[in-house]
Amino acid sequence: MMKNDVRYPVPAPREPLRMVFMGTPDFAAASLAALGKYAERTGAKIVGVFTREDKPAGRGHKLTPPPVKVLAEKMGVPVFQPKTLRAPEPLEILRTLAPNLIVVAAYGRILPPEVLELPVCGCINVHGSLLPEYRGAAPMQRAVIDGKKVTGITTMYMNDGIDTGDMLLVREVPIGDEDDFGTVHDRMAEVGAELLTETLDALTAGTLVRTPQPEEGATYAAKLGKEDLRIDFSRPAAELHDLIRGCSPAPLAWTHTPDGKLLKVVASHVADGSAGGEAGCVTALDAHGDGGITVACGEGALVLTRIVPEGKGKMSAGEFIRGRKVSLGDRLN
């Protein structure tokens, strides 16, 4: 068995790369775009793109294609949207496409052993964390929620575990105090695309090196559930600010107004000094301009600056206050 500190070279492919790409959201689309430029530059081919199904979106629930599908169609690459990779049909499609490399970025489906073993050059994944930290579905959100100052991208060979395969290249990405999931996501997508290109260049040059992941320091970033998004004002204000940042611009952290209506929070900041009230109580209101709603927390106070009231669109706290939707002494629950 290999030790975690062992690094070993990856043989260069004997034939030009025939690649299948698997991905779904905007983060993945950035990697697909980079793959297209790589193919143009090197003579490699993208022979197919696998992505998730079209989904209803917006008030009209119109079927909307994922960003990767939109881009792949513009690139003229065949698109496949199977509900599972475990059925005979998608496996037969993959065998017909005959890729010698599969590239994956935020696909949203588990690759079964039959798929992992199909390409002779393996399956390379673009993962949004500094592995082995934050394996799983929501690494970028969890890093911001946890108040991390640095995250990063890891390219890795996939195995039958969840983000447990050998690491290839790694690059750090800073998280600023004012960053939220949206800004971190966009920065990470760009870095992920760059690192994917560097990984493929190293692969074809025969200079790529695999490093088995250590188990020490491994953490799991589970998909965010509704309860993960709940704002519990008994917690410290700094932690809640990080929660709000990590869930913005979507899916958004939430609480309730005294009348039981849902109130989602887009942006906030930690108040100077103590609020001097019970956790969850509104202790100050600023109705000027964008304004702010100051809420006492278990430690310190939080100022809500941009919100989404139930049934409404995004608005500033000042607009909400001027509409007389919140009063001093109200308790957000």
Side-chain angles (χ1 to χ4, degrees):
M1 182 177 293
M2 280 175 291
K3 296 180 180 179
N4 287 331
D5 60 351
V6 171
R7 304 175 77 236
Y8 57 104
V10 178
R14 296 181 179 181
E15 300 175 350
L17 290 179
R18 286 177 54 85
M19 302 176 290
V20 162
F21 181 81
M22 297 182 175
T24 301
D26 288 317
F27 177 84
S31 287
L32 176 57
L35 208 62
K37 293 178 181 177
Y38 172 83
E40 291 176 3
R41 174 168 60 84
T42 64
K45 292 183 179 180
I46 305 173
V47 295
V49 167
F50 281 62
T51 188
R52 298 287 295 269
E53 309 96 300
D54 297 1
K55 289 187 176 182
R59 292 182 180 272
H61 299 286
K62 180 181 178 182
L63 275 180
T64 304
V68 161
K69 178 181 180 180
V70 174
L71 177 58
E73 289 179 340
K74 288 181 180 178
M75 295 169 64
V77 180
V79 177
F80 306 94
Q81 296 176 278
K83 292 183 178 181
T84 176
L85 291 178
R86 299 184 183 276
E89 183 179 357
L91 288 173
E92 186 57 36
I93 291 171
L94 281 169
R95 292 189 181 104
T96 301
L97 293 172
N100 56 11
L101 177 70
I102 293 177
V103 177
V104 181
Y107 179 35
R109 293 204 187 284
I110 299 294
L111 273 60
E114 297 88 344
V115 174
L116 293 171
E117 296 166 3
L118 191 149
V120 295
C121 295
C123 300
I124 290 178
N125 183 38
V126 181
H127 184 73
S129 80
L130 299 174
L131 290 171
E133 189 176 52
Y134 295 119
R135 297 167 176 169
M140 290 179 278
Q141 295 99 320
R142 296 283 184 182
V144 179
I145 289 170
D146 290 347
K148 294 286 185 178
K149 301 298 183 184
V150 178
T151 184
I153 296 288
T154 305
T155 54
M156 54 170 283
Y157 271 114
M158 300 178 72
N159 60 16
D160 57 2
I162 298 177
D163 301 321
T164 56
D166 292 350
M167 299 180 292
L168 299 171
L169 301 184
V170 179
R171 182 174 299 170
E172 292 186 349
V173 175
I175 302 176
D177 292 339
E178 301 305 316
D179 276 325
D180 59 17
F181 166 56
T183 58
V184 171
H185 168 279
D186 293 350
R187 197 176 304 136
M188 294 275 278
E190 181 178 346
V191 172
E194 293 172 356
L195 203 63
L196 173 60
T197 300
E198 292 179 21
T199 301
L200 297 182
D201 282 337
L203 173 65
T204 53
T207 59
L208 194 61
V209 175
R210 301 172 65 143
T211 304
Q213 290 189 44
E215 281 304 314
E216 183 179 357
T219 58
Y220 183 71
K223 183 178 179 180
L224 295 172
K226 182 178 179 181
E227 192 60 24
D228 293 316
L229 310 178
R230 184 174 69 88
I231 301 173
D232 178 0
F233 287 103
S234 67
R235 294 170 58 191
E239 290 184 6
L240 295 180
H241 175 56
D242 290 338
L243 170 65
I244 290 165
R245 291 193 302 138
C247 300
S248 183
L252 294 179
W254 58 269
T255 183
H256 285 108
T257 53
D259 58 1
K261 291 187 176 180
L262 188 66
L263 183 69
K264 296 183 178 180
V265 183
V266 180
S268 64
H269 64 80
V270 178
D272 295 329
S274 174
E278 291 186 13
C281 285
V282 175
T283 60
L285 296 172
D286 177 6
H288 298 90
D290 289 341
I293 303 167
T294 302
V295 186
C297 300
E299 181 181 311
L302 192 67
V303 182
L304 314 183
T305 57
R306 194 156 184 81
I307 57 178
V308 182
E310 185 173 322
K312 304 290 184 180
K314 291 181 182 179
M315 66 176 65
S316 69
E319 290 175 292
F320 192 64
I321 296 166
R322 291 191 292 273
R324 302 195 179 192
K325 301 297 185 181
V326 63
S327 304
L328 286 174
D330 280 353
R331 187 162 189 164
L332 304 183
N333 186 354

